[in-house]
Amino acid sequence: MDAQKLHSIRHKCAALKNGSPHPSRPQIPAVVGQETWSQIHTLFQELLACANSNIDLDIDPMAAVWSDALTDLCMFVRNAAAMDQSNQVAANSTGVVSDIIGTIRVTLRCEMTYPEAKTCGAVAGQALSNMATNNKPLQQQLMESEICDCKSPIESIYLYLLASTNSKTNMAGLMLILNTIKDDDSLAKLLCTTET
């Protein structure tokens, strides 16, 4: 992706973040429309494609802009998920949860090189935690895909969050785990019996 296109995406992501539902912006509806979720998913996909290409994020001068754009999208998701539970369902149905997980995995791999990536990993972790709060279907889905179906326990998204060098990311991981096992003995047992 060339620098001009990346900057254009960055501006779109910043505008979305600034227009996200939040208690400080009561004029913005708490429920996000499906069209917006589709737009966010598309932007995530474009940005994550950069990481899946041959670009070396450890040396690319545009990596900071790329991280900032992802952070803005994650902030939108974090805010919207906290404002209304219907946003959790709509975001999940458009693939945004998978986008958040992909963002966590790719940004935490380069968090030692870029402070922007470290920040992004933390915000992505908070977004995933907010998405899963009081959302048993998503909690179950995450446990099954990240614990039961994971090829290697070390690849679990929970371990990614807990192994980060950023305490905010660690806290997001802990909150995700605690919210998941709260009042659910079967999920608590599943987590405690895993090799992770």
Side-chain angles (χ1 to χ4, degrees):
M1 181 183 298
D2 63 48
Q4 185 176 356
K5 183 172 183 184
L6 185 54
H7 278 293
S8 173
I9 290 175
R10 168 75 173 94
H11 288 304
K12 289 178 187 175
C13 296
L16 282 164
K17 178 196 75 174
N18 293 334
S20 64
H22 193 270
S24 66
R25 295 184 283 271
Q27 74 280 11
I28 296 174
V31 178
V32 177
Q34 197 66 39
E35 186 177 323
T36 302
W37 285 120
S38 296
Q39 180 187 5
I40 287 170
H41 174 60
T42 300
L43 289 168
F44 264 122
Q45 290 296 295
E46 288 187 71
L47 291 165
L48 291 172
C50 290
N52 296 328
S53 68
N54 293 327
I55 295 172
D56 186 347
L57 290 172
D58 288 333
I59 59 172
D60 194 310
M62 295 304 294
V65 177
W66 170 82
S67 295
D68 286 341
L70 283 170
T71 300
D72 286 343
L73 291 178
C74 291
M75 283 185 179
F76 183 100
V77 176
R78 181 190 68 186
N79 293 347
M83 286 294 288
D84 195 284
Q85 197 162 2
S86 67
N87 291 329
Q88 299 172 348
V89 176
N92 195 16
S93 71
T94 55
V96 170
V97 170
S98 295
D99 296 332
I100 293 285
I101 290 171
T103 299
I104 291 168
R105 288 200 162 104
V106 74
T107 55
L108 292 184
R109 283 200 297 263
C110 53
E111 69 175 350
M112 297 295 285
T113 308
Y114 294 104
E116 296 88 355
K118 181 182 277 193
T119 299
C120 184
V123 177
Q126 293 163 1
L128 185 61
S129 181
N130 282 4
M131 287 284 292
T133 299
N134 298 320
N135 186 342
K136 280 297 169 190
L138 178 56
Q139 292 170 2
Q140 184 74 40
Q141 174 190 325
L142 285 172
M143 276 288 179
E144 288 174 359
S145 63
E146 295 297 323
I147 298 293
C148 300
D149 300 336
C150 206
K151 292 178 184 175
S152 167
I154 202 162
E155 287 297 312
S156 158
I157 201 64
Y158 302 99
L159 205 56
Y160 262 85
L161 293 169
L162 295 176
S164 169
T165 60
N166 188 343
S167 61
K168 290 181 180 178
T169 309
N170 304 148
M171 186 59 70
L174 288 171
M175 289 305 298
L176 178 61
I177 291 169
L178 291 173
N179 282 330
T180 298
I181 63 175
K182 178 182 166 187
D183 301 324
D184 194 321
D185 292 341
S186 62
L187 289 182
K189 184 177 179 181
L190 178 63
L191 186 65
C192 291
T193 56
T194 182
E195 293 177 20
T196 308

